Amino acid sequence: MITQPQTEAPVSPVPAGDPTGQQVSWRHRHLLDVDALDTAEIERLLQSTAAMEEVLQRRVARTPALRGITVVTLFYEASTRTRASFELAGKILGADVINLSAKGSSVEKGESLIDTVRTIGAIGADIVVMRHPQAGAPYLAARHSTARIINAGDGTHAHPTQALLDAYTLQKALGDLQDKRICIVGDIKHSRVARSNLWTLTRLGATVTLVAPQSLLPPGLNQNHPLGLPAVRIDDDLDRALEDADAVIALRLQRERAAGVQVPSLREYARRYQITRERLGLARENAPVLHPGPLNEGVEISPDVARGLQSEIERQVQHGVAVRMAVLYLLARGGA
Ligand code: CP
């Protein structure tokens, strides 16, 4: 088979006014969570994501926007979507991308996180995309790294690029999110996605309802100031919460974080909290269904909903590349 040579087209992957490869204005050196971003910055990232999506739709193999930039993905925890999409995003923008896992690296010989990020900085990394099982690990890395740090998920704390791609997917499905009712159901307690989504969606004006059994809600969460966010509602009755919901985000039951023992049985949990076709009928007509993945089909979501017409799950994955292109671009060229 004859393959076409890769082309390098001089396209601008960012909105008008941000010429490709030039410095743009972005005040954050790292992306550790969305709570550091104001509404205008979240909107700017989502606009840049739309511009990146146009680049992807033009099927240009690579752009030179991040030529000369080295991105290292450093994963201490498993990942398919986040890691692959950051790698692809970096390569499409012309960056050099190096992938490191804790397994097979000097971490196995006892190297500390601080030594690892210093070493990666010393070999010339400009950006480190990091996933770690400990909440707060990317913050520690940011204090000791010469490179910019992107949090690709830290323990149960935050997953900012997932929240941004979820917001982007919801905006494409629903338009402006102001006053939209978003129902997030599942293992809230262990979900970094839920936390980052709360910040992002409420900053964009949506009303969020968290739905879970008491055992899968974080301690200290209450109706008035859950996680410092006044616009959040809490319910343990999924059917009630789904009434008039504009969209549903189902979360994975994180059995690797012991969520499985915090419900009476998987069958009982699924009976009360699974998004089924019948239940989805309680929400607004054509309400989009999201799930960050990976899925426990038959537990938090039924297979027919996961692959049904209202499912946005594959589109979320597709949007993940564009949103990560936008994040890499703004951090690399942002001048902070
Ligand atoms: N949503 C998400 O973070 O998926 P991965 O664990 O596959 O990266």
Side-chain angles (χ1 to χ4, degrees):
M1 189 173 75
I2 298 170
T3 55
Q4 297 293 323
Q6 289 195 329
T7 56
E8 285 204 353
V11 295
S12 173
V14 288
D18 289 339
T20 300
Q22 303 295 307
Q23 189 162 303
V24 294
S25 165
W26 185 252
R27 72 185 169 105
H28 301 280
R29 182 165 170 72
H30 309 285
L31 179 63
L32 302 176
D33 194 5
V34 275
D35 62 3
L37 307 180
D38 61 27
T39 305
E41 288 167 336
I42 291 171
E43 284 170 350
R44 178 153 181 226
L45 265 166
L46 298 177
Q47 284 162 9
S48 291
T49 300
M52 295 299 182
E53 208 186 358
E54 277 179 32
V55 172
L56 292 173
Q57 283 162 359
R58 272 185 264 161
R59 297 182 187 279
V60 175
R62 282 175 193 235
T63 80
L66 294 190
R67 184 183 286 155
I69 296 290
T70 299
V71 176
V72 175
T73 67
L74 174 63
F75 277 58
Y76 291 76
E77 241 189 22
S79 168
T80 301
R81 296 152 196 78
T82 312
R83 184 175 183 151
S85 56
F86 264 116
E87 181 177 354
L88 194 55
K91 286 180 173 171
I92 290 169
L93 290 175
D96 295 313
V97 182
I98 298 168
N99 295 311
L100 282 178
S101 299
K103 193 170 166 49
S105 76
S106 289
V107 172
E108 289 194 331
K109 300 180 206 164
E111 186 174 69
S112 72
L113 173 62
I114 292 170
D115 279 346
T116 300
V117 295
R118 280 189 175 144
T119 301
I120 291 170
I123 62 169
D126 299 289
I127 297 178
V128 176
V129 178
M130 184 180 155
R131 173 169 289 189
H132 199 283
Q134 294 297 325
Y139 293 76
L140 179 67
R143 285 204 295 277
H144 294 275
S145 173
T146 52
R148 289 150 203 275
I149 303 290
I150 297 174
N151 182 0
D154 61 326
T156 59
H157 173 244
H159 195 347
T161 56
Q162 180 69 46
L164 290 165
L165 76 89
D166 288 351
Y168 185 73
T169 304
L170 286 167
Q171 275 190 344
K172 289 200 84 165
L174 299 173
D176 188 351
L177 297 186
Q178 184 68 43
D179 297 327
K180 293 290 188 304
R181 295 160 173 240
I182 316 294
C183 177
I184 303 181
V185 54
D187 182 2
I188 310 289
K189 182 176 183 176
H190 300 104
S191 178
R192 53 197 176 208
V193 176
R195 279 171 184 72
S196 292
N197 267 330
L198 278 176
W199 285 104
T200 311
L201 297 175
T202 52
R203 290 240 160 108
L204 294 173
T207 301
V208 176
T209 304
L210 301 177
V211 185
Q214 282 299 325
S215 60
L216 291 181
L217 287 170
L221 197 64
N222 64 64
Q223 296 282 355
N224 297 325
H225 299 284
L227 309 177
L229 290 166
V232 177
R233 299 172 182 176
I234 300 163
D235 207 329
D236 63 0
D237 185 326
L238 179 56
D239 291 356
R240 183 170 54 208
L242 281 174
E243 282 171 22
D244 290 334
D246 292 293
V248 184
I249 302 177
L251 298 175
R252 187 169 64 88
L253 189 70
Q254 298 196 31
R255 283 181 271 188
E256 77 277 21
R257 299 193 210 275
V261 297
Q262 289 165 355
V263 293
S265 74
L266 278 186
R267 185 193 292 251
E268 173 65 9
Y269 178 79
R271 190 182 66 76
R272 291 191 61 194
Y273 294 103
Q274 185 180 119
I275 300 295
T276 59
R277 181 162 297 285
E278 194 177 42
R279 280 219 167 92
L280 197 51
L282 298 169
R284 289 265 170 95
E285 196 176 350
N286 298 323
V289 178
L290 285 71
H291 190 304
L295 278 67
N296 293 310
E297 281 188 15
V299 180
E300 67 264 359
I301 191 165
S302 66
D304 59 342
V305 172
R307 281 182 277 282
L309 289 176
Q310 286 167 253
S311 173
E312 293 285 333
I313 296 169
E314 274 190 24
R315 269 185 287 274
Q316 284 175 275
V317 176
Q318 287 159 5
H319 296 156
V321 178
V323 86
R324 284 159 183 139
M325 288 168 71
V327 168
L328 288 173
Y329 186 83
L330 284 173
L331 286 196
R333 298 293 183 213

